[in-house]
């Protein structure tokens, strides 16, 4: 090598480095008096990082779209059926342990039985959904989160029934998570039916405390977020409004759509009760806070004003 030359290792962005799957170091010999400025060096690294990030986001969105298009959760429903979705598998009966939680885990079946006995609905007209598969759930959930549900202790924390931690996970999957996955299928299908018929009701679902990375408050799967992503891809929908009227703040979908301007969130909730998620509250487009003891008339007045 010539005396006035020395070897300097310089990171140069190439077509290969812009590919997330392959990272290449490019070696170049520079004259001794020609050095790469620190600012330029940082600029190159930043550019490479931004390109990799954009490539990663694009790859993730492509995979999500592929999973949605391959899903079997959307299917044609005969016109003889009404757009009310329910299956007996929604109801959770777990050796009586489910009664340790204030949430009524058999209310879905009781609602349908009431509608049938009252003559408002014929049992044969109810639409039964398919159970969401792992690939369906991966549209929103991470692999690591779904794997965490293989621990009975984790599921027990999510549904807030501590004794569930003592049971084999195969039993927890069958008695708790299988009903939840059926309800997820119902929520996703409801969007398709609503687009076709003008309205639809999934008697179950609405697990608004669960986001892609975390469950809680008796919500193990983010069915609302999943439903919306399916609608974006399959139904050619570009804007969605969530009107959340549960007494509790819907922190799950708020975190999932924190930076997604396609989704507008109106949440009417009691700030003095669970989940106290102050970060998620930042992502509510229109919050309507109602305290305990609010009368029906006061509540409806506030709701009307918010909807206007």
């Amino acid at each position: 090598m010539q005396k006035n030359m020395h070897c300097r290792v310089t990171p140069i962005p190439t077509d290969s480095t812009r590919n997330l799957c392959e990272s290449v170091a490019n070696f170049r010999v520079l004259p001794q008096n020609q050095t790469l400025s620190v600012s330029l060096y940082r600029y190159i690294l930043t550019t490479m990082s931004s390109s990799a990030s954009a490539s990663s986001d694009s790859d993730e969105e492509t995979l999500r779209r592929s999973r949605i298009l391959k899903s079997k959760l959307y299917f044609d429903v005969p016109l003889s059926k009404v757009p009310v979705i329910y299956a007996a598998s929604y109801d959770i009966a777990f050796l009586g342990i489910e009664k340790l939680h204030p949430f009524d885990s058999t209310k879905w079946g009781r609602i349908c039985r009431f509608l049938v006995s009252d003559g408002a609905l014929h049992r044969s007209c109810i639409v039964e959904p398919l159970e969401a598969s792992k690939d369906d759930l991966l549209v929103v959930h991470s692999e690591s989160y779904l794997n965490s549900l293989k621990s009975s202790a984790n599921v027990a924390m999510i549904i807030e029934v501590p004794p569930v931690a003592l049971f084999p996970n195969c039993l927890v999957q069958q008695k708790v998570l299988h009903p939840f996955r059926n309800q997820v299928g119902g929520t996703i299908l409801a969007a398709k039916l609503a687009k076709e018929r003008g309205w639809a009701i999934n008697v179950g679902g609405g697990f608004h405390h669960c986001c892609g990375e975390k469950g809680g408050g008796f919500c193990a799967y983010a069915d609302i977020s999943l439903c919306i992503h399916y609608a974006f891809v399959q139904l050619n929908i570009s804007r969605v409004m969530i009107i959340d009227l549960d007494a509790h703040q819907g922190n799950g979908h708020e975190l999932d759509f924190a930076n997604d301007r396609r989704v507008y969130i109106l949440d009417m909730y009691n700030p003095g009760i669970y989940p106290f998620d102050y970060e998620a509250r930042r992502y509510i487009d229109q919050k309507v806070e109602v305290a305990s003891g609010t009368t029906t008339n006061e509540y409806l007045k506030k709701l009307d004003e918010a909807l206007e």
Side-chain angles (χ1 to χ4, degrees):
M1 190 174 290
Q2 297 176 14
K3 289 183 179 180
N4 65 339
M5 301 284 286
H6 72 283
C7 186
R8 182 181 297 278
V9 179
T10 309
I12 303 293
T14 67
D15 288 340
S16 299
T17 60
R18 292 189 184 95
N19 188 328
L20 187 64
C21 301
E22 185 177 330
S23 182
V24 175
N26 190 0
F27 296 87
R28 179 171 297 184
V29 177
L30 295 177
Q32 193 168 7
N33 60 355
Q34 183 182 343
T35 59
L36 191 67
S37 73
V38 173
S39 58
L40 179 58
Y41 175 72
R42 286 176 178 165
Y43 170 77
I44 291 173
L45 289 182
T46 302
T47 303
M48 292 166 65
S49 175
S50 298
S51 299
S53 177
S55 175
S56 175
D57 290 345
S58 175
D59 291 346
E60 185 179 326
E61 194 55 42
T62 299
L63 183 57
R64 170 181 282 162
R65 182 179 179 83
S66 173
R67 285 185 168 126
I68 291 172
L69 293 174
K70 289 177 182 175
S71 175
K72 297 178 179 178
L73 295 179
Y74 273 10
F75 57 85
D76 291 330
V77 175
L79 291 174
S80 59
K81 303 273 190 180
V82 296
V84 174
I85 304 169
Y86 166 76
S89 56
Y90 278 22
D91 299 314
I92 299 174
F94 196 1
L95 306 175
I97 290 175
E98 71 280 357
K99 292 183 173 63
L100 295 176
H101 194 282
F103 189 91
D104 180 0
S105 63
T106 60
K107 67 176 182 179
W108 307 292
R110 292 197 297 107
I111 289 168
C112 283
R113 286 192 295 275
F114 171 78
L115 291 173
V116 170
S117 65
D118 203 47
L121 187 65
H122 195 280
R123 189 175 299 277
S124 64
C125 293
I126 297 173
V127 179
E128 291 198 21
L130 298 175
E131 177 184 358
S133 68
K134 180 182 177 180
D135 253 19
D136 294 324
L137 298 170
L138 283 170
V139 166
V140 164
H141 292 292
S142 65
E143 186 97 33
S144 61
Y145 174 71
L146 294 181
N147 285 336
S148 76
L149 299 179
K150 294 176 182 176
S151 161
S152 296
N154 285 339
V155 176
M157 284 190 289
I158 289 170
I159 66 171
E160 300 169 338
V161 182
V164 167
L166 304 175
F167 287 86
N169 190 255
C170 58
L171 191 59
V172 174
Q173 293 284 334
Q174 178 190 349
K175 295 292 187 181
V176 180
L177 297 179
H178 169 66
F180 282 155
R181 289 193 294 267
N182 272 286
Q183 294 186 44
V184 170
T187 300
I188 291 170
L189 179 60
K192 177 179 184 291
L193 277 175
K195 180 88 182 291
E196 294 169 351
R197 310 279 187 94
W199 67 277
I201 297 171
N202 180 25
V203 176
F207 304 129
H208 67 164
H209 294 308
C210 185
C211 64
E213 293 292 341
K214 186 180 179 182
F218 212 80
C219 303
Y221 300 112
D223 67 318
I224 298 171
S225 302
L226 284 159
C227 172
I228 290 172
H229 279 293
Y230 273 72
F232 282 150
V233 173
Q234 290 273 41
L235 303 179
N236 197 30
I237 286 172
S238 59
R239 289 276 285 154
V240 170
M241 177 188 283
I242 298 172
I243 301 175
D244 193 333
L245 302 182
D246 189 275
H248 305 92
Q249 176 200 348
N251 57 323
H253 57 73
E254 287 157 9
L255 291 170
D256 278 340
F257 295 109
N259 300 307
D260 194 331
R261 302 319 303 163
R262 296 173 299 174
V263 179
Y264 182 95
I265 299 173
L266 188 164
D267 197 349
M268 192 167 181
Y269 63 95
N270 184 342
I273 59 176
Y274 177 91
F276 304 105
D277 193 331
Y278 297 102
E279 180 194 354
R281 287 182 192 180
R282 293 163 44 204
Y283 309 125
I284 302 172
D285 295 285
Q286 187 174 180
K287 63 177 75 171
V288 184
E289 297 184 343
V290 286
S292 298
T294 300
T295 66
T296 300
N297 287 338
E298 286 178 296
Y299 182 94
L300 292 177
K301 183 174 183 291
K302 286 190 174 186
L303 176 58
D304 283 343
E305 290 170 353
L307 290 174
E308 284 181 14

